[in-house]
PDB file of all heavy atoms in Angstrom:
ATOM      1  N   THR H   4     106.936 106.367  55.655  1.00 43.00           N
ATOM      2  CA  THR H   4     107.126 104.929  55.835  1.00 43.00           C
ATOM      3  C   THR H   4     107.078 104.171  54.519  1.00 43.00           C
ATOM      4  O   THR H   4     106.769 102.992  54.491  1.00 43.00           O
ATOM      5  CB  THR H   4     106.034 104.370  56.764  1.00 43.00           C
ATOM      6  OG1 THR H   4     104.751 104.660  56.183  1.00 43.00           O
ATOM      7  CG2 THR H   4     106.114 104.992  58.139  1.00 43.00           C
ATOM      8  N   ILE H  10     111.256 101.485  57.346  1.00 87.00           N
ATOM      9  CA  ILE H  10     110.585 100.330  57.934  1.00 87.00           C
ATOM     10  C   ILE H  10     111.530  99.605  58.887  1.00 87.00           C
ATOM     11  O   ILE H  10     111.145  99.178  59.984  1.00 87.00           O
ATOM     12  CB  ILE H  10     110.088  99.367  56.833  1.00 87.00           C
ATOM     13  CG1 ILE H  10     108.964 100.021  56.022  1.00 87.00           C
ATOM     14  CG2 ILE H  10     109.595  98.056  57.440  1.00 87.00           C
ATOM     15  CD1 ILE H  10     108.493  99.200  54.847  1.00 87.00           C
ATOM     16  N   ILE H  58     103.823  97.805  82.246  1.00 93.00           N
ATOM     17  CA  ILE H  58     102.508  98.224  81.751  1.00 93.00           C
ATOM     18  C   ILE H  58     102.664  99.379  80.770  1.00 93.00           C
ATOM     19  O   ILE H  58     102.067  99.393  79.685  1.00 93.00           O
ATOM     20  CB  ILE H  58     101.600  98.645  82.924  1.00 93.00           C
ATOM     21  CG1 ILE H  58     101.454  97.508  83.929  1.00 93.00           C
ATOM     22  CG2 ILE H  58     100.228  99.085  82.398  1.00 93.00           C
ATOM     23  CD1 ILE H  58     100.706  97.911  85.188  1.00 93.00           C
ATOM     24  N   ARG H  72     102.313 102.173  61.074  1.00 84.00           N
ATOM     25  CA  ARG H  72     101.257 102.014  60.079  1.00 84.00           C
ATOM     26  C   ARG H  72     100.755 103.351  59.551  1.00 84.00           C
ATOM     27  O   ARG H  72     100.485 103.500  58.370  1.00 84.00           O
ATOM     28  CB  ARG H  72     100.081 101.229  60.682  1.00 84.00           C
ATOM     29  CG  ARG H  72     100.361  99.757  60.963  1.00 84.00           C
ATOM     30  CD  ARG H  72      99.137  99.082  61.514  1.00 84.00           C
ATOM     31  NE  ARG H  72      98.709  99.731  62.769  1.00 84.00           N
ATOM     32  CZ  ARG H  72      97.570  99.466  63.384  1.00 84.00           C
ATOM     33  NH1 ARG H  72      96.721  98.608  62.871  1.00 84.00           N
ATOM     34  NH2 ARG H  72      97.276 100.071  64.526  1.00 84.00           N
ATOM     35  N   LEU H  96     101.703 103.394  94.108  1.00 97.00           N
ATOM     36  CA  LEU H  96     103.059 103.094  94.569  1.00 97.00           C
ATOM     37  C   LEU H  96     103.590 104.216  95.452  1.00 97.00           C
ATOM     38  O   LEU H  96     104.208 103.957  96.498  1.00 97.00           O
ATOM     39  CB  LEU H  96     103.989 102.890  93.370  1.00 97.00           C
ATOM     40  CG  LEU H  96     105.470 102.667  93.693  1.00 97.00           C
ATOM     41  CD1 LEU H  96     105.670 101.392  94.510  1.00 97.00           C
ATOM     42  CD2 LEU H  96     106.299 102.614  92.406  1.00 97.00           C
ATOM     43  N   VAL H  97     103.350 105.455  95.052  1.00 97.00           N
ATOM     44  CA  VAL H  97     103.801 106.602  95.848  1.00 97.00           C
ATOM     45  C   VAL H  97     103.201 106.543  97.250  1.00 97.00           C
ATOM     46  O   VAL H  97     103.905 106.731  98.252  1.00 97.00           O
ATOM     47  CB  VAL H  97     103.409 107.926  95.164  1.00 97.00           C
ATOM     48  CG1 VAL H  97     103.651 109.106  96.103  1.00 97.00           C
ATOM     49  CG2 VAL H  97     104.196 108.117  93.883  1.00 97.00           C
ATOM     50  N   TYR H 106     106.972 104.762 108.276  1.00 94.00           N
ATOM     51  CA  TYR H 106     106.955 103.740 109.335  1.00 94.00           C
ATOM     52  C   TYR H 106     108.372 103.257 109.657  1.00 94.00           C
ATOM     53  O   TYR H 106     108.734 103.103 110.837  1.00 94.00           O
ATOM     54  CB  TYR H 106     106.087 102.560 108.905  1.00 94.00           C
ATOM     55  CG  TYR H 106     106.108 101.408 109.885  1.00 94.00           C
ATOM     56  CD1 TYR H 106     105.330 101.442 111.041  1.00 94.00           C
ATOM     57  CD2 TYR H 106     106.910 100.287 109.652  1.00 94.00           C
ATOM     58  CE1 TYR H 106     105.356 100.394 111.945  1.00 94.00           C
ATOM     59  CE2 TYR H 106     106.939  99.235 110.548  1.00 94.00           C
ATOM     60  CZ  TYR H 106     106.161  99.290 111.694  1.00 94.00           C
ATOM     61  OH  TYR H 106     106.187  98.248 112.595  1.00 94.00           O
ATOM     62  N   VAL H 130     122.258  99.887  81.220  1.00 97.00           N
ATOM     63  CA  VAL H 130     121.273  99.419  80.244  1.00 97.00           C
ATOM     64  C   VAL H 130     120.354 100.553  79.805  1.00 97.00           C
ATOM     65  O   VAL H 130     120.091 100.742  78.605  1.00 97.00           O
ATOM     66  CB  VAL H 130     120.445  98.250  80.820  1.00 97.00           C
ATOM     67  CG1 VAL H 130     119.293  97.890  79.883  1.00 97.00           C
ATOM     68  CG2 VAL H 130     121.326  97.036  81.054  1.00 97.00           C
ATOM     69  N   VAL H 135     118.341 104.792  76.038  1.00 94.00           N
ATOM     70  CA  VAL H 135     118.093 106.200  75.731  1.00 94.00           C
ATOM     71  C   VAL H 135     118.836 106.593  74.456  1.00 94.00           C
ATOM     72  O   VAL H 135     118.281 107.248  73.560  1.00 94.00           O
ATOM     73  CB  VAL H 135     118.527 107.105  76.903  1.00 94.00           C
ATOM     74  CG1 VAL H 135     118.497 108.576  76.476  1.00 94.00           C
ATOM     75  CG2 VAL H 135     117.616 106.898  78.107  1.00 94.00           C
ATOM     76  N   PRO H 149     107.147 111.113  69.021  1.00 84.00           N
ATOM     77  CA  PRO H 149     106.755 110.125  70.021  1.00 84.00           C
ATOM     78  C   PRO H 149     107.914 109.228  70.472  1.00 84.00           C
ATOM     79  O   PRO H 149     108.044 108.922  71.658  1.00 84.00           O
ATOM     80  CB  PRO H 149     105.675 109.302  69.298  1.00 84.00           C
ATOM     81  CG  PRO H 149     105.124 110.219  68.271  1.00 84.00           C
ATOM     82  CD  PRO H 149     106.282 111.043  67.811  1.00 84.00           C
ATOM     83  N   SER H 164     117.495 104.889  89.190  1.00 97.00           N
ATOM     84  CA  SER H 164     118.589 103.943  89.424  1.00 97.00           C
ATOM     85  C   SER H 164     119.732 104.613  90.180  1.00 97.00           C
ATOM     86  O   SER H 164     120.357 104.007  91.054  1.00 97.00           O
ATOM     87  CB  SER H 164     119.101 103.386  88.088  1.00 97.00           C
ATOM     88  OG  SER H 164     118.090 102.685  87.400  1.00 97.00           O
ATOM     89  N   ILE H 169     122.958 105.368  95.051  1.00 97.00           N
ATOM     90  CA  ILE H 169     123.521 106.226  96.095  1.00 97.00           C
ATOM     91  C   ILE H 169     123.076 105.772  97.481  1.00 97.00           C
ATOM     92  O   ILE H 169     123.899 105.615  98.396  1.00 97.00           O
ATOM     93  CB  ILE H 169     123.123 107.695  95.860  1.00 97.00           C
ATOM     94  CG1 ILE H 169     123.806 108.232  94.599  1.00 97.00           C
ATOM     95  CG2 ILE H 169     123.495 108.560  97.066  1.00 97.00           C
ATOM     96  CD1 ILE H 169     123.339 109.620  94.197  1.00 97.00           C
ATOM     97  N   GLU H 175     125.573 100.493 102.525  1.00 95.00           N
ATOM     98  CA  GLU H 175     126.500  99.367 102.514  1.00 95.00           C
ATOM     99  C   GLU H 175     127.858  99.778 103.074  1.00 95.00           C
ATOM    100  O   GLU H 175     128.534  98.973 103.721  1.00 95.00           O
ATOM    101  CB  GLU H 175     126.646  98.834 101.091  1.00 95.00           C
ATOM    102  CG  GLU H 175     127.241  97.436 100.990  1.00 95.00           C
ATOM    103  CD  GLU H 175     126.365  96.377 101.642  1.00 95.00           C
ATOM    104  OE1 GLU H 175     125.133  96.577 101.745  1.00 95.00           O
ATOM    105  OE2 GLU H 175     126.931  95.344 102.061  1.00 95.00           O
ATOM    106  N   GLY H 178     126.344 101.926 106.945  1.00 92.00           N
ATOM    107  CA  GLY H 178     125.278 101.441 107.812  1.00 92.00           C
ATOM    108  C   GLY H 178     124.428 102.572 108.366  1.00 92.00           C
ATOM    109  O   GLY H 178     123.758 102.417 109.393  1.00 92.00           O
TER     110      GLY H 178
END
Side-chain angles (χ1 to χ4, degrees):
T4 58
I10 293 175
I58 303 173
R72 291 182 300 171
L96 176 62
V97 170
Y106 175 80
V130 172
V135 170
S164 299
I169 292 173
E175 197 64 25

